[in-house]
Amino acid sequence: MAMHVALQAEATSGVSRRAFLKASALIGGGLLLDFHVPRARAAGSAPGEALNAYIKLMPNGIVTITAKNPEIGQGVKTMLPMLIAEEFDVDWKDVRIEQAIADGARYAAQFAGGSTAAPLNWEPLRRVGAVSREMMVQAAAQTWGVPANELRTASGTVLHVPSGRKLAYGELAAAAAKVVPPDPKTVRLKDPKDFTIIGKPVPGVDSPLVVTGKPLFGIDVTVPGMKYAVYVKCPVFGGKVGSANVAALKSLPGVRDAFVLRGDASVAGSAGPLDRLVDGVAIVADSWWLAEQAREKLEVEWDEGNAAHENDARFAEEAARLSGQAPATYIVKNGNVDAALASAARVVEANYAYPFLAHATLEPQNCTASYAGGKLEIWAPTQNPESNRKVVARTLGIAPQDITVHMTRCGGGFGRRGASDYAVEAAAIAKQVGVPVKLLWNRADDLRHDFYRPAGFHHFKAGLDGGGNLVAFRNHFVTLGTAEEPGSSAFAGPDEFPSRFVADMEFAASFIPSGVPTGPLRAPESNGLAFAFQSFIDELAHAAGRDPLQFRLDLLGEARILDSTDDRYGPQPDFDTGRMRGVLELVREKSGWSARQKLPSGTGLGVAFYYSHMGYFAEVVQATVGTNGALKVDKVWVAADVGSQIINPIGAENQVQGAVLDGIGQALTRINIANGRTVQSNFHDFAPLRINQAPPVEVHFRTTDNPPTGLGEPALPPVIPALCNAIYAACGKRLRRLPIENGTLAKA
């Protein structure tokens, strides 16, 4: 007999925390365990949120675990099921993974972002596995009529220790359905020393399919009767369609339809970055190539709107003007900075700037949609399927429950696929033409209709006493937004180092009104702030005549825990100076920092540290600058503290190395804005890091007695300032403006 077992715990409504069980039959002799357990709270999470997970156990011992979150390349499709399989006590070779569809009612939050997968799921998913294991033990105890404390589990079997009898989990399915499931809070979790899956290197479950070109990604989706679409938008941000020669396009070979879609103006400015439909011209054809060829003959009169005057020069001029005025807001204002600067033995001033950046996911934005009978089905490489559902429902005027979202694997995300623009475009086109449609952006669409890492301008002034100690610190940060507030991912919090480590501290901000869409890019906010702050800290160390790494250790002071003062997203984790000291000391050892003076001329080491997404990272870069100013990044050392357990060492190392290389790539390129539009159009002028530019990245994890946290983002921020600081050590040129332009680093 087959069963469907459901275990549910309380939500915030006050329902009893005692779990309850529902059973229903499945054909095939297997056992389907449906668990609803409380989700571990992370900083900023709402109380009472719940997480679902499913385990399907077949009589042959094969266990299928549903992966609930989107897979964007960070390895969660492997890592999260590892947590369940470990506590269920089955062999990984017997585990199969299935991707869940988007279902907020069943799975609660399903998203990829913020390096949250590990901290949110570490304990709840282990308890899912532990409850499953306990049910098998109870079923075996009842079958044999023996005490449960005489039983042990291993490799998908229950062993009666005194008699040596064994029962495979598959044999216990029927009996397990009759077991009252234990409260997830009370089940015993394994001692880490007994782990057989967690902490062991497990290759990605999709890796063989990826390298052999199997159709996993959104761009691979095909459905019967599908047509292909392109969607042409105004090159100026916020522009609208005046008129278009759509009638002429309909007569072209293979073109099935062409029409104008009007944007959802009612939510403009109130939604997240690009979470709405904007004006454009849709072209639907028998193939994507035919649609793209028809696009070449499209003639549109655009109403470019107010953003047409925006450009990089205006932003820089406005930043310079604002920096000399009273700031719009103070993020931190402690002590008397003016008095401390006046009495300082030395005052150091510097201006830093970094540009807009695009996400440039290798797989361009795409979505397949089918609309029929008032219901919509979409296949999307999305980081945030529930947001897609809400935006599409609002735009099309249909109920969210009438939309099915299939999550495909994403060919890169980095925050870009958290938006809903590509999904709502596909859905709106499919509704109008009445047949399934695959929308696919070309590379120029992808770069020119992105939301961008916002540009930023920092105006630093700091004071050092006679002993080279930091006694005053001021920064006026100017970035994009409205006159009163920052744009998406354009702000900074009050805990930005060295806040809380300098008594006389001011961190202020002003904002440049802009129509350029901004939003989260891998390590949002931190990817720019780390460059500015940690580079200026390096300047201060050199001005003080101090070892830059020791200068940072001295600033951190003794090991202690500092309360967070940042409540923008709810309560944030406190900062443990001992953990940051630990990674700085570890990277000093591993990089051979103390022997850096023995490096050849033109080669230098640079260091930086950063705390973001609950991860403590310190990194050292070795760089060589040739006599012609050419840059070579020789090697990067990374020391990381993300808690007590590295769940999957393969995935963890890949994430750190990928983040470091991504950061180096960010430091070498930029997005330019001219006449309200993006200048770059493809990889020839927005170049990702190439293989011959990629240095070896040596990763060292320092385990501490703290819950595991994520790895997708926190390794990125320190590498950019560490690289710039290494360049200074190599050639004496201090880089205060990104990007780093190869050939311009001749010795100062």
Side-chain angles (χ1 to χ4, degrees), residues 195-217:
F195 287 163
T196 60
I197 296 175
I198 293 175
K200 305 300 186 292
V202 176
V205 295
D206 283 344
S207 295
L209 305 177
V210 171
V211 299
T212 55
K214 296 298 187 294
L216 293 171
F217 299 90

Side-chain angles (χ1 to χ4, degrees), residues 409-432:
R409 189 179 173 105
C410 303
F414 318 116
R416 177 59 181 90
R417 300 189 195 275
S420 301
D421 48 348
Y422 54 95
V424 73
E425 289 168 8
I429 295 169
K431 182 180 180 183
Q432 178 138 337

Side-chain angles (χ1 to χ4, degrees), residues 443-641:
R443 187 64 62 190
D445 291 332
D446 208 47
L447 285 176
R448 290 176 169 170
H449 295 285
D450 201 353
F451 59 84
Y452 302 95
R453 191 281 298 275
F457 306 85
H458 294 260
H459 306 271
F460 291 109
K461 189 173 185 178
L464 300 167
D465 66 14
N469 301 303
L470 182 61
V471 294
F473 193 95
R474 170 177 285 149
N475 179 24
H476 191 167
F477 172 35
V478 182
T479 187
L480 281 293
T482 67
E484 294 80 25
E485 60 183 19
S488 177
S489 297
F491 203 41
D495 293 340
E496 195 69 35
F497 187 84
S499 178
R500 299 180 293 177
F501 294 86
V502 184
D504 297 295
M505 168 90 183
E506 286 182 7
F507 184 14
S510 295
F511 314 111
I512 304 170
S514 169
V516 178
T518 65
L521 177 99
R522 192 175 193 174
E525 300 175 352
S526 303
N527 52 37
L529 297 172
F531 157 68
F533 277 86
Q534 284 286 310
S535 294
F536 186 59
I537 291 290
D538 211 67
E539 284 203 61
L540 296 177
H542 285 279
R546 307 266 290 277
D547 173 344
L549 196 152
Q550 187 60 47
F551 185 78
R552 288 168 168 83
L553 286 170
D554 292 343
L555 266 175
L556 287 167
E558 64 182 2
R560 63 200 187 282
I561 295 176
L562 300 179
D563 294 340
S564 173
T565 61
D566 190 351
D567 60 359
R568 292 174 297 156
Y569 310 113
Q572 298 298 302
D574 298 329
F575 181 76
D576 188 332
T577 63
R579 296 179 71 181
M580 191 59 81
R581 290 185 62 89
V583 292
L584 271 168
E585 290 164 351
L586 180 59
V587 83
R588 177 171 61 186
E589 171 196 345
K590 298 299 182 181
S591 66
W593 176 264
S594 60
R596 65 192 184 283
Q597 302 302 333
K598 298 178 183 178
L599 292 170
S601 177
T603 297
L605 294 184
V607 66
F609 72 77
Y610 206 75
Y611 171 74
S612 69
H613 298 86
M614 296 182 281
Y616 295 77
F617 279 78
E619 301 176 16
V620 168
V621 172
Q622 179 178 309
T624 297
V625 178
T627 55
N628 61 351
L631 170 66
K632 181 178 182 294
V633 185
D634 302 316
K635 188 171 181 178
V636 181
W637 292 265
V638 180
D641 179 352

Side-chain angles (χ1 to χ4, degrees), residues 8-11 13-20 183:
Q8 183 169 357
E10 76 165 314
S13 60
V15 176
S16 169
R17 290 194 66 89
R18 292 300 302 171
F20 64 85
D183 187 331

Side-chain angles (χ1 to χ4, degrees), residues 392-411:
V392 170
R394 181 190 68 218
T395 305
L396 270 60
I398 61 178
Q401 59 266 29
D402 289 333
I403 301 173
T404 299
V405 182
H406 301 273
M407 297 186 295
T408 69
R409 189 179 173 105
C410 303

Side-chain angles (χ1 to χ4, degrees), residues 244-259 281 283 293-295 297-299:
N245 64 333
V246 292
L249 298 185
K250 294 179 185 180
S251 65
L252 296 175
V255 174
R256 298 299 171 182
D257 207 348
F259 48 89
V281 180
I283 304 172
Q293 290 297 102
R295 177 184 188 152
K297 301 184 185 307
L298 174 64
E299 298 174 5

